[in-house]
């Protein structure tokens, strides 16, 4: 995707954060050097070609953007947030990028466009096999903790009316 | 750095599922200026700012980790 959009003026970056599911093989960071080493392991294991930016040890950048484990932001030339999502879903990213590019093309053609605010409930592919594979790569500890957390925390969170939108969709 | 004395550390050892997906919704609405921060470019070790990138182009930023 990064290659496909490179010639359309869009740069793809990856910001490496704290480990979301620390396990025996890839534990929680205890030093910045360890964080750098695990970022390198991430790059190699997942064949990441995009530039990887390693956030500082305390997560200064990660905190400013909402501190979720797998967010996506599209920041427009000049520094304004154009699109954001609490999870990374490639087809949704393509849709957002195409929308932004199409709007610019229409404006270039002379159409009068005014910015407005919009939100959408996304639909992402919940690839549980791939997710489980990731937990197993981290180690048995990560597998156990995720299973425990989903039993304990999620029924409460997902039953709350304020997040009904997740359940009905 | 903990936000509260009893809060879990940023680099937590145990995943308990405490991520705040609801707070995310209002944290940084679309249309707002993107916060800038400095980070280490893994390929070279140099310190760069996100704004170095969005000064030149649109930037699609994914956040994540190995696990």
């Amino acid at each position: 995707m990064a290659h496909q959009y490179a010639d359309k003026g869009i740069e793809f970056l990856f910001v490496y954060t704290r480990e979301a599911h620390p396990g025996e093989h890839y534990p929680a960071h205890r030093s910045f050097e360890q964080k750098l080493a695990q970022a390198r392991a991430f790059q190699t294991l997942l064949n990441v070609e995009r530039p990887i930016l390693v956030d500082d040890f305390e997560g200064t950048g990660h905190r400013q953007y909402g501190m979720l484990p797998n967010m996506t932001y599209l920041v427009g030339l000049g520094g304004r947030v154009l699109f954001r999502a609490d999870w990374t879903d490639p087809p949704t990213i393509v849709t957002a990028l195409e929308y932004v590019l199409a709007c610019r093309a229409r404006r270039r053609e002379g159409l009068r466009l005014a910015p407005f605010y919009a939100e959408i409930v996304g639909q992402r592919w919940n690839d549980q096999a791939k997710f489980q594979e990731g937990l197993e790569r981290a180690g048995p500890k990560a597998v156990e903790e995720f299973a425990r957390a989903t039993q304990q925390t999620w029924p409460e969170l997902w039953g709350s009316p304020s997040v009904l939108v997740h359940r009905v969709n | 750095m903990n936000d509260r004395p009893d809060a879990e550390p940023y680099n937590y050892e145990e995943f308990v599922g405490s991520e705040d997906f609801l707070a995310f919704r209002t944290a940084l609405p679309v249309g707002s200026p993107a916060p800038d921060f400095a980070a280490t470019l893994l390929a070279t070790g140099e310190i760069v700012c996100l704004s170095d990138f969005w000064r030149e182009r649109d930037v699609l930023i994914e956040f994540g980790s190995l696990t």
Side-chain angles (χ1 to χ4, degrees):
Chain A
M1 200 194 299
H3 292 302
Q4 188 190 337
Y5 286 98
D7 59 356
K8 293 175 179 167
I10 296 161
E11 171 102 36
F12 282 62
L13 300 177
F14 189 94
V15 175
Y16 178 80
T17 65
R18 66 181 172 193
E19 289 295 343
H21 300 281
E24 289 85 345
H25 308 308
Y26 301 105
H29 306 139
R30 293 193 171 166
S31 67
F32 186 67
E33 290 65 35
Q34 183 197 347
K35 187 169 187 171
L36 281 175
Q38 277 172 221
R40 279 186 212 104
F42 162 75
Q43 182 180 37
T44 307
L45 282 167
L46 297 174
N47 296 313
V48 181
E49 294 179 22
R50 286 167 279 171
I52 297 173
L53 303 186
V54 182
D55 192 14
D56 70 17
F57 181 67
E58 294 294 348
T60 304
H62 192 205
R63 289 167 192 268
Q64 286 177 283
Y65 280 77
M67 224 160 70
L68 295 184
N70 200 6
M71 311 173 284
T72 304
Y73 279 83
L74 173 62
V75 178
L77 172 71
R80 204 159 284 277
V81 177
L82 299 182
F83 164 82
R84 66 196 288 263
D86 69 10
W87 204 261
T88 294
D89 180 60
T92 304
I93 293 170
V94 169
T95 303
L97 293 176
E98 290 298 331
Y99 181 78
V100 169
L101 293 171
C103 289
R104 286 181 186 161
R106 289 161 75 201
R107 178 166 277 153
R108 275 198 306 273
E109 287 161 9
L111 193 71
R112 189 185 161 99
L113 294 177
F116 73 108
Y117 180 84
E119 288 186 332
I120 194 167
V121 173
Q123 301 288 340
R124 67 181 173 89
W125 181 27
N126 187 0
D127 188 349
Q128 290 181 319
K130 193 176 166 200
F131 188 79
Q132 190 66 23
E133 195 182 298
L135 291 174
E136 285 166 9
R137 185 171 51 227
K141 174 178 169 295
V143 176
E144 284 162 26
E145 285 173 1
F146 181 75
R148 203 179 312 135
T150 50
Q151 280 164 14
Q152 288 175 357
T153 318
W154 285 13
E156 185 188 330
L157 171 69
W158 293 65
S160 122
S162 59
V163 289
L164 198 61
V165 64
H166 272 311
R167 293 171 58 225
V168 299
N169 285 282
Chain B
M1 187 191 347
N2 295 355
D3 297 320
R4 297 190 315 273
D6 61 335
E8 63 180 1
Y10 174 71
N11 294 295
Y12 56 76
E13 300 275 344
E14 182 189 355
F15 173 82
V16 294
S18 62
E19 305 110 319
D20 199 340
F21 281 82
L22 293 180
F24 173 84
R25 297 184 186 181
T26 49
L28 185 57
V30 290
S32 39
D36 196 11
F37 65 92
T40 305
L41 187 62
L42 188 65
T44 63
E46 68 182 311
I47 306 290
V48 294
C49 288
L50 264 75
S51 57
D52 297 339
F53 295 91
W54 68 56
R55 233 192 319 274
E56 308 287 334
R57 319 179 74 186
D58 303 306
V59 190
L60 195 286
I61 309 164
E62 180 183 356
F63 290 78
S65 67
L66 176 48
T67 63

